[in-house]
PDB file of all heavy atoms in Angstrom:
ATOM      1  N   GLU A 122     -12.705  10.815   2.340  1.00  0.00           N
ATOM      2  CA  GLU A 122     -12.665  11.715   3.506  1.00  0.00           C
ATOM      3  C   GLU A 122     -11.328  11.574   4.240  1.00  0.00           C
ATOM      4  O   GLU A 122     -10.708  12.556   4.614  1.00  0.00           O
ATOM      5  CB  GLU A 122     -13.818  11.388   4.460  1.00  0.00           C
ATOM      6  CG  GLU A 122     -15.151  11.769   3.855  1.00  0.00           C
ATOM      7  CD  GLU A 122     -16.314  11.422   4.760  1.00  0.00           C
ATOM      8  OE1 GLU A 122     -16.096  11.005   5.908  1.00  0.00           O
ATOM      9  OE2 GLU A 122     -17.452  11.566   4.289  1.00  0.00           O
ATOM     10  N   TYR A 123     -10.891  10.337   4.408  1.00  0.00           N
ATOM     11  CA  TYR A 123      -9.627  10.075   5.096  1.00  0.00           C
ATOM     12  C   TYR A 123      -8.453  10.621   4.267  1.00  0.00           C
ATOM     13  O   TYR A 123      -7.528  11.242   4.798  1.00  0.00           O
ATOM     14  CB  TYR A 123      -9.515   8.561   5.299  1.00  0.00           C
ATOM     15  CG  TYR A 123      -8.215   8.050   5.860  1.00  0.00           C
ATOM     16  CD1 TYR A 123      -7.724   8.497   7.082  1.00  0.00           C
ATOM     17  CD2 TYR A 123      -7.481   7.074   5.177  1.00  0.00           C
ATOM     18  CE1 TYR A 123      -6.531   7.998   7.592  1.00  0.00           C
ATOM     19  CE2 TYR A 123      -6.291   6.569   5.689  1.00  0.00           C
ATOM     20  CZ  TYR A 123      -5.817   7.043   6.892  1.00  0.00           C
ATOM     21  OH  TYR A 123      -4.643   6.555   7.398  1.00  0.00           O
ATOM     22  N   GLU A 124      -8.533  10.426   2.961  1.00  0.00           N
ATOM     23  CA  GLU A 124      -7.439  10.859   2.084  1.00  0.00           C
ATOM     24  C   GLU A 124      -7.293  12.377   2.041  1.00  0.00           C
ATOM     25  O   GLU A 124      -6.198  12.892   1.876  1.00  0.00           O
ATOM     26  CB  GLU A 124      -7.639  10.315   0.663  1.00  0.00           C
ATOM     27  CG  GLU A 124      -7.486   8.804   0.550  1.00  0.00           C
ATOM     28  CD  GLU A 124      -6.151   8.292   1.051  1.00  0.00           C
ATOM     29  OE1 GLU A 124      -5.140   9.014   0.943  1.00  0.00           O
ATOM     30  OE2 GLU A 124      -6.113   7.163   1.564  1.00  0.00           O
ATOM     31  N   ILE A 125      -8.407  13.100   2.179  1.00  0.00           N
ATOM     32  CA  ILE A 125      -8.324  14.566   2.202  1.00  0.00           C
ATOM     33  C   ILE A 125      -7.466  14.989   3.396  1.00  0.00           C
ATOM     34  O   ILE A 125      -6.565  15.816   3.279  1.00  0.00           O
ATOM     35  CB  ILE A 125      -9.734  15.202   2.304  1.00  0.00           C
ATOM     36  CG1 ILE A 125     -10.492  15.009   0.993  1.00  0.00           C
ATOM     37  CG2 ILE A 125      -9.635  16.697   2.626  1.00  0.00           C
ATOM     38  CD1 ILE A 125     -11.932  15.484   1.048  1.00  0.00           C
ATOM     39  N   GLN A 126      -7.727  14.361   4.536  1.00  0.00           N
ATOM     40  CA  GLN A 126      -6.957  14.678   5.745  1.00  0.00           C
ATOM     41  C   GLN A 126      -5.477  14.380   5.547  1.00  0.00           C
ATOM     42  O   GLN A 126      -4.615  15.206   5.844  1.00  0.00           O
ATOM     43  CB  GLN A 126      -7.448  13.814   6.898  1.00  0.00           C
ATOM     44  CG  GLN A 126      -8.543  14.427   7.724  1.00  0.00           C
ATOM     45  CD  GLN A 126      -8.749  13.586   8.971  1.00  0.00           C
ATOM     46  OE1 GLN A 126      -8.960  12.375   8.866  1.00  0.00           O
ATOM     47  NE2 GLN A 126      -8.699  14.205  10.123  1.00  0.00           N
ATOM     48  N   LEU A 127      -5.201  13.163   5.064  1.00  0.00           N
ATOM     49  CA  LEU A 127      -3.794  12.757   4.863  1.00  0.00           C
ATOM     50  C   LEU A 127      -3.085  13.701   3.896  1.00  0.00           C
ATOM     51  O   LEU A 127      -1.964  14.128   4.136  1.00  0.00           O
ATOM     52  CB  LEU A 127      -3.716  11.341   4.296  1.00  0.00           C
ATOM     53  CG  LEU A 127      -3.865  10.136   5.210  1.00  0.00           C
ATOM     54  CD1 LEU A 127      -3.411   8.877   4.479  1.00  0.00           C
ATOM     55  CD2 LEU A 127      -3.056  10.286   6.488  1.00  0.00           C
ATOM     56  N   THR A 128      -3.766  14.000   2.788  1.00  0.00           N
ATOM     57  CA  THR A 128      -3.154  14.851   1.762  1.00  0.00           C
ATOM     58  C   THR A 128      -2.802  16.223   2.325  1.00  0.00           C
ATOM     59  O   THR A 128      -1.684  16.716   2.135  1.00  0.00           O
ATOM     60  CB  THR A 128      -4.121  15.014   0.569  1.00  0.00           C
ATOM     61  OG1 THR A 128      -4.375  13.729   0.023  1.00  0.00           O
ATOM     62  CG2 THR A 128      -3.538  15.922  -0.504  1.00  0.00           C
ATOM     63  N   HIS A 129      -3.764  16.822   3.045  1.00  0.00           N
ATOM     64  CA  HIS A 129      -3.495  18.164   3.579  1.00  0.00           C
ATOM     65  C   HIS A 129      -2.404  18.127   4.637  1.00  0.00           C
ATOM     66  O   HIS A 129      -1.570  19.024   4.697  1.00  0.00           O
ATOM     67  CB  HIS A 129      -4.778  18.792   4.111  1.00  0.00           C
ATOM     68  CG  HIS A 129      -5.712  19.191   3.009  1.00  0.00           C
ATOM     69  ND1 HIS A 129      -5.305  19.969   1.941  1.00  0.00           N
ATOM     70  CD2 HIS A 129      -7.015  18.916   2.785  1.00  0.00           C
ATOM     71  CE1 HIS A 129      -6.325  20.143   1.114  1.00  0.00           C
ATOM     72  NE2 HIS A 129      -7.375  19.505   1.601  1.00  0.00           N
ATOM     73  N   MET A 130      -2.410  17.082   5.448  1.00  0.00           N
ATOM     74  CA  MET A 130      -1.370  16.994   6.486  1.00  0.00           C
ATOM     75  C   MET A 130       0.001  16.807   5.832  1.00  0.00           C
ATOM     76  O   MET A 130       0.975  17.460   6.229  1.00  0.00           O
ATOM     77  CB  MET A 130      -1.680  15.830   7.442  1.00  0.00           C
ATOM     78  CG  MET A 130      -0.719  15.730   8.599  1.00  0.00           C
ATOM     79  SD  MET A 130      -0.617  17.240   9.592  1.00  0.00           S
ATOM     80  CE  MET A 130      -2.004  17.003  10.685  1.00  0.00           C
ATOM     81  N   ASN A 131       0.059  15.954   4.814  1.00  0.00           N
ATOM     82  CA  ASN A 131       1.345  15.745   4.136  1.00  0.00           C
ATOM     83  C   ASN A 131       1.820  17.022   3.449  1.00  0.00           C
ATOM     84  O   ASN A 131       3.011  17.335   3.461  1.00  0.00           O
ATOM     85  CB  ASN A 131       1.233  14.599   3.123  1.00  0.00           C
ATOM     86  CG  ASN A 131       1.336  13.245   3.803  1.00  0.00           C
ATOM     87  OD1 ASN A 131       2.077  13.078   4.768  1.00  0.00           O
ATOM     88  ND2 ASN A 131       0.573  12.272   3.319  1.00  0.00           N
ATOM     89  N   ARG A 132       0.890  17.761   2.882  1.00  0.00           N
ATOM     90  CA  ARG A 132       1.269  19.024   2.218  1.00  0.00           C
ATOM     91  C   ARG A 132       1.656  20.099   3.227  1.00  0.00           C
ATOM     92  O   ARG A 132       2.490  20.958   2.955  1.00  0.00           O
ATOM     93  CB  ARG A 132       0.140  19.507   1.313  1.00  0.00           C
ATOM     94  CG  ARG A 132       0.301  18.997  -0.104  1.00  0.00           C
ATOM     95  CD  ARG A 132       0.259  20.092  -1.158  1.00  0.00           C
ATOM     96  NE  ARG A 132      -1.033  20.750  -1.194  1.00  0.00           N
ATOM     97  CZ  ARG A 132      -2.024  20.391  -2.004  1.00  0.00           C
ATOM     98  NH1 ARG A 132      -1.855  19.404  -2.840  1.00  0.00           N
ATOM     99  NH2 ARG A 132      -3.155  21.039  -2.001  1.00  0.00           N
ATOM    100  N   TYR A 133       1.033  20.019   4.424  1.00  0.00           N
ATOM    101  CA  TYR A 133       1.394  20.945   5.501  1.00  0.00           C
ATOM    102  C   TYR A 133       2.860  20.686   5.898  1.00  0.00           C
ATOM    103  O   TYR A 133       3.642  21.606   6.094  1.00  0.00           O
ATOM    104  CB  TYR A 133       0.451  20.723   6.685  1.00  0.00           C
ATOM    105  CG  TYR A 133       0.879  21.344   7.978  1.00  0.00           C
ATOM    106  CD1 TYR A 133       0.719  22.708   8.207  1.00  0.00           C
ATOM    107  CD2 TYR A 133       1.454  20.560   8.983  1.00  0.00           C
ATOM    108  CE1 TYR A 133       1.130  23.282   9.400  1.00  0.00           C
ATOM    109  CE2 TYR A 133       1.860  21.118  10.170  1.00  0.00           C
ATOM    110  CZ  TYR A 133       1.693  22.482  10.376  1.00  0.00           C
ATOM    111  OH  TYR A 133       2.109  23.023  11.560  1.00  0.00           O
ATOM    112  N   ILE A 134       3.215  19.401   5.964  1.00  0.00           N
ATOM    113  CA  ILE A 134       4.590  19.039   6.354  1.00  0.00           C
ATOM    114  C   ILE A 134       5.566  19.343   5.221  1.00  0.00           C
ATOM    115  O   ILE A 134       6.661  19.829   5.429  1.00  0.00           O
ATOM    116  CB  ILE A 134       4.660  17.534   6.731  1.00  0.00           C
ATOM    117  CG1 ILE A 134       3.721  17.217   7.889  1.00  0.00           C
ATOM    118  CG2 ILE A 134       6.090  17.126   7.090  1.00  0.00           C
ATOM    119  CD1 ILE A 134       3.469  15.716   8.102  1.00  0.00           C
ATOM    120  N   SER A 135       5.122  19.034   4.014  1.00  0.00           N
ATOM    121  CA  SER A 135       6.013  19.194   2.850  1.00  0.00           C
ATOM    122  C   SER A 135       5.204  19.783   1.679  1.00  0.00           C
ATOM    123  O   SER A 135       4.573  19.042   0.927  1.00  0.00           O
ATOM    124  CB  SER A 135       6.581  17.818   2.485  1.00  0.00           C
ATOM    125  OG  SER A 135       7.390  17.923   1.359  1.00  0.00           O
ATOM    126  N   PRO A 136       5.199  21.120   1.544  1.00  0.00           N
ATOM    127  CA  PRO A 136       4.300  21.794   0.591  1.00  0.00           C
ATOM    128  C   PRO A 136       4.464  21.358  -0.870  1.00  0.00           C
ATOM    129  O   PRO A 136       3.537  21.538  -1.663  1.00  0.00           O
ATOM    130  CB  PRO A 136       4.659  23.276   0.758  1.00  0.00           C
ATOM    131  CG  PRO A 136       5.233  23.365   2.133  1.00  0.00           C
ATOM    132  CD  PRO A 136       5.939  22.067   2.384  1.00  0.00           C
ATOM    133  N   THR A 137       5.602  20.792  -1.233  1.00  0.00           N
ATOM    134  CA  THR A 137       5.768  20.403  -2.641  1.00  0.00           C
ATOM    135  C   THR A 137       5.324  18.956  -2.905  1.00  0.00           C
ATOM    136  O   THR A 137       5.394  18.477  -4.033  1.00  0.00           O
ATOM    137  CB  THR A 137       7.241  20.541  -3.084  1.00  0.00           C
ATOM    138  OG1 THR A 137       8.035  19.767  -2.197  1.00  0.00           O
ATOM    139  CG2 THR A 137       7.686  21.998  -3.089  1.00  0.00           C
ATOM    140  N   LEU A 138       4.871  18.291  -1.852  1.00  0.00           N
ATOM    141  CA  LEU A 138       4.482  16.885  -2.010  1.00  0.00           C
ATOM    142  C   LEU A 138       3.046  16.786  -2.548  1.00  0.00           C
ATOM    143  O   LEU A 138       2.104  17.272  -1.929  1.00  0.00           O
ATOM    144  CB  LEU A 138       4.587  16.184  -0.645  1.00  0.00           C
ATOM    145  CG  LEU A 138       4.403  14.673  -0.608  1.00  0.00           C
ATOM    146  CD1 LEU A 138       5.395  13.967  -1.525  1.00  0.00           C
ATOM    147  CD2 LEU A 138       4.585  14.160   0.832  1.00  0.00           C
ATOM    148  N   GLU A 139       2.899  16.179  -3.716  1.00  0.00           N
ATOM    149  CA  GLU A 139       1.569  16.023  -4.334  1.00  0.00           C
ATOM    150  C   GLU A 139       1.058  14.606  -4.103  1.00  0.00           C
ATOM    151  O   GLU A 139       1.824  13.642  -4.163  1.00  0.00           O
ATOM    152  CB  GLU A 139       1.649  16.254  -5.855  1.00  0.00           C
ATOM    153  CG  GLU A 139       1.954  17.673  -6.265  1.00  0.00           C
ATOM    154  CD  GLU A 139       0.829  18.650  -5.932  1.00  0.00           C
ATOM    155  OE1 GLU A 139      -0.284  18.209  -5.586  1.00  0.00           O
ATOM    156  OE2 GLU A 139       1.083  19.864  -6.011  1.00  0.00           O
ATOM    157  N   SER A 140      -0.246  14.479  -3.886  1.00  0.00           N
ATOM    158  CA  SER A 140      -0.848  13.142  -3.797  1.00  0.00           C
ATOM    159  C   SER A 140      -1.710  12.936  -5.025  1.00  0.00           C
ATOM    160  O   SER A 140      -2.477  13.829  -5.402  1.00  0.00           O
ATOM    161  CB  SER A 140      -1.731  13.036  -2.553  1.00  0.00           C
ATOM    162  OG  SER A 140      -0.951  13.186  -1.395  1.00  0.00           O
ATOM    163  N   ILE A 141      -1.565  11.788  -5.646  1.00  0.00           N
ATOM    164  CA  ILE A 141      -2.451  11.490  -6.767  1.00  0.00           C
ATOM    165  C   ILE A 141      -3.185  10.180  -6.483  1.00  0.00           C
ATOM    166  O   ILE A 141      -2.670   9.300  -5.780  1.00  0.00           O
ATOM    167  CB  ILE A 141      -1.736  11.465  -8.131  1.00  0.00           C
ATOM    168  CG1 ILE A 141      -0.809  10.286  -8.236  1.00  0.00           C
ATOM    169  CG2 ILE A 141      -0.985  12.744  -8.425  1.00  0.00           C
ATOM    170  CD1 ILE A 141      -0.484  10.005  -9.672  1.00  0.00           C
ATOM    171  N   PHE A 142      -4.375  10.070  -7.019  1.00  0.00           N
ATOM    172  CA  PHE A 142      -5.277   8.982  -6.621  1.00  0.00           C
ATOM    173  C   PHE A 142      -5.671   8.100  -7.784  1.00  0.00           C
ATOM    174  O   PHE A 142      -5.997   8.589  -8.862  1.00  0.00           O
ATOM    175  CB  PHE A 142      -6.529   9.579  -5.961  1.00  0.00           C
ATOM    176  CG  PHE A 142      -6.181  10.368  -4.736  1.00  0.00           C
ATOM    177  CD1 PHE A 142      -5.927  11.735  -4.822  1.00  0.00           C
ATOM    178  CD2 PHE A 142      -6.025   9.737  -3.521  1.00  0.00           C
ATOM    179  CE1 PHE A 142      -5.540  12.455  -3.707  1.00  0.00           C
ATOM    180  CE2 PHE A 142      -5.644  10.449  -2.389  1.00  0.00           C
ATOM    181  CZ  PHE A 142      -5.404  11.809  -2.483  1.00  0.00           C
ATOM    182  N   PHE A 143      -5.620   6.810  -7.526  1.00  0.00           N
ATOM    183  CA  PHE A 143      -6.082   5.828  -8.501  1.00  0.00           C
ATOM    184  C   PHE A 143      -7.389   5.242  -7.972  1.00  0.00           C
ATOM    185  O   PHE A 143      -7.456   4.873  -6.799  1.00  0.00           O
ATOM    186  CB  PHE A 143      -5.074   4.677  -8.629  1.00  0.00           C
ATOM    187  CG  PHE A 143      -3.875   4.987  -9.475  1.00  0.00           C
ATOM    188  CD1 PHE A 143      -2.957   5.937  -9.071  1.00  0.00           C
ATOM    189  CD2 PHE A 143      -3.659   4.308 -10.660  1.00  0.00           C
ATOM    190  CE1 PHE A 143      -1.846   6.216  -9.844  1.00  0.00           C
ATOM    191  CE2 PHE A 143      -2.546   4.582 -11.440  1.00  0.00           C
ATOM    192  CZ  PHE A 143      -1.635   5.537 -11.031  1.00  0.00           C
ATOM    193  N   MET A 144      -8.392   5.156  -8.840  1.00  0.00           N
ATOM    194  CA  MET A 144      -9.604   4.449  -8.448  1.00  0.00           C
ATOM    195  C   MET A 144      -9.282   2.959  -8.447  1.00  0.00           C
ATOM    196  O   MET A 144      -8.822   2.421  -9.468  1.00  0.00           O
ATOM    197  CB  MET A 144     -10.716   4.659  -9.476  1.00  0.00           C
ATOM    198  CG  MET A 144     -11.349   6.004  -9.422  1.00  0.00           C
ATOM    199  SD  MET A 144     -12.300   6.160  -7.910  1.00  0.00           S
ATOM    200  CE  MET A 144     -12.644   7.900  -8.017  1.00  0.00           C
ATOM    201  N   THR A 145      -9.514   2.301  -7.350  1.00  0.00           N
ATOM    202  CA  THR A 145      -9.313   0.857  -7.296  1.00  0.00           C
ATOM    203  C   THR A 145     -10.279   0.185  -8.266  1.00  0.00           C
ATOM    204  O   THR A 145     -11.438   0.596  -8.353  1.00  0.00           O
ATOM    205  CB  THR A 145      -9.585   0.359  -5.862  1.00  0.00           C
ATOM    206  OG1 THR A 145      -8.712   1.067  -4.986  1.00  0.00           O
ATOM    207  CG2 THR A 145      -9.348  -1.121  -5.711  1.00  0.00           C
ATOM    208  N   SER A 146      -9.806  -0.802  -9.001  1.00  0.00           N
ATOM    209  CA  SER A 146     -10.693  -1.503  -9.939  1.00  0.00           C
ATOM    210  C   SER A 146     -11.879  -2.070  -9.169  1.00  0.00           C
ATOM    211  O   SER A 146     -11.740  -2.509  -8.027  1.00  0.00           O
ATOM    212  CB  SER A 146      -9.933  -2.638 -10.627  1.00  0.00           C
ATOM    213  OG  SER A 146      -8.882  -2.074 -11.384  1.00  0.00           O
ATOM    214  N   LYS A 147     -13.049  -2.066  -9.844  1.00  0.00           N
ATOM    215  CA  LYS A 147     -14.285  -2.340  -9.080  1.00  0.00           C
ATOM    216  C   LYS A 147     -14.309  -3.723  -8.436  1.00  0.00           C
ATOM    217  O   LYS A 147     -14.862  -3.895  -7.356  1.00  0.00           O
ATOM    218  CB  LYS A 147     -15.533  -2.086  -9.929  1.00  0.00           C
ATOM    219  CG  LYS A 147     -15.726  -2.968 -11.140  1.00  0.00           C
ATOM    220  CD  LYS A 147     -17.030  -2.570 -11.817  1.00  0.00           C
ATOM    221  CE  LYS A 147     -17.385  -3.471 -12.978  1.00  0.00           C
ATOM    222  NZ  LYS A 147     -16.303  -3.712 -13.975  1.00  0.00           N
ATOM    223  N   GLU A 148     -13.623  -4.686  -9.055  1.00  0.00           N
ATOM    224  CA  GLU A 148     -13.641  -6.040  -8.467  1.00  0.00           C
ATOM    225  C   GLU A 148     -12.876  -6.118  -7.148  1.00  0.00           C
ATOM    226  O   GLU A 148     -12.991  -7.100  -6.421  1.00  0.00           O
ATOM    227  CB  GLU A 148     -13.141  -7.089  -9.472  1.00  0.00           C
ATOM    228  CG  GLU A 148     -11.711  -6.945  -9.944  1.00  0.00           C
ATOM    229  CD  GLU A 148     -11.563  -6.093 -11.210  1.00  0.00           C
ATOM    230  OE1 GLU A 148     -12.304  -5.114 -11.372  1.00  0.00           O
ATOM    231  OE2 GLU A 148     -10.689  -6.422 -12.033  1.00  0.00           O
ATOM    232  N   PHE A 149     -12.071  -5.075  -6.861  1.00  0.00           N
ATOM    233  CA  PHE A 149     -11.302  -5.087  -5.605  1.00  0.00           C
ATOM    234  C   PHE A 149     -11.774  -4.006  -4.630  1.00  0.00           C
ATOM    235  O   PHE A 149     -11.164  -3.804  -3.585  1.00  0.00           O
ATOM    236  CB  PHE A 149      -9.809  -4.863  -5.903  1.00  0.00           C
ATOM    237  CG  PHE A 149      -9.224  -5.861  -6.865  1.00  0.00           C
ATOM    238  CD1 PHE A 149      -8.536  -5.449  -7.995  1.00  0.00           C
ATOM    239  CD2 PHE A 149      -9.370  -7.217  -6.638  1.00  0.00           C
ATOM    240  CE1 PHE A 149      -8.009  -6.369  -8.874  1.00  0.00           C
ATOM    241  CE2 PHE A 149      -8.839  -8.147  -7.517  1.00  0.00           C
ATOM    242  CZ  PHE A 149      -8.158  -7.725  -8.650  1.00  0.00           C
ATOM    243  N   SER A 150     -12.854  -3.321  -4.974  1.00  0.00           N
ATOM    244  CA  SER A 150     -13.221  -2.134  -4.199  1.00  0.00           C
ATOM    245  C   SER A 150     -13.747  -2.472  -2.797  1.00  0.00           C
ATOM    246  O   SER A 150     -13.841  -1.598  -1.952  1.00  0.00           O
ATOM    247  CB  SER A 150     -14.247  -1.300  -4.965  1.00  0.00           C
ATOM    248  OG  SER A 150     -15.379  -2.085  -5.194  1.00  0.00           O
ATOM    249  N   PHE A 151     -14.052  -3.722  -2.542  1.00  0.00           N
ATOM    250  CA  PHE A 151     -14.561  -4.091  -1.210  1.00  0.00           C
ATOM    251  C   PHE A 151     -13.468  -4.717  -0.338  1.00  0.00           C
ATOM    252  O   PHE A 151     -13.713  -5.091   0.807  1.00  0.00           O
ATOM    253  CB  PHE A 151     -15.736  -5.084  -1.348  1.00  0.00           C
ATOM    254  CG  PHE A 151     -15.337  -6.389  -1.986  1.00  0.00           C
ATOM    255  CD1 PHE A 151     -15.039  -7.496  -1.201  1.00  0.00           C
ATOM    256  CD2 PHE A 151     -15.219  -6.505  -3.354  1.00  0.00           C
ATOM    257  CE1 PHE A 151     -14.648  -8.697  -1.769  1.00  0.00           C
ATOM    258  CE2 PHE A 151     -14.821  -7.709  -3.937  1.00  0.00           C
ATOM    259  CZ  PHE A 151     -14.538  -8.802  -3.155  1.00  0.00           C
TER     260      PHE A 151
END
Side-chain angles (χ1 to χ4, degrees):
E122 291 178 7
Y123 174 57
E124 292 304 329
I125 289 174
Q126 269 190 306
L127 280 194
T128 299
H129 288 309
M130 184 57 84
N131 280 324
R132 268 233 296 267
Y133 166 77
I134 301 166
S135 178
T137 56
L138 188 57
E139 292 293 348
S140 297
I141 69 161
F142 299 91
F143 281 66
M144 285 291 170
T145 303
S146 297
K147 64 179 185 310
E148 63 269 36
F149 304 127
S150 60
F151 63 97

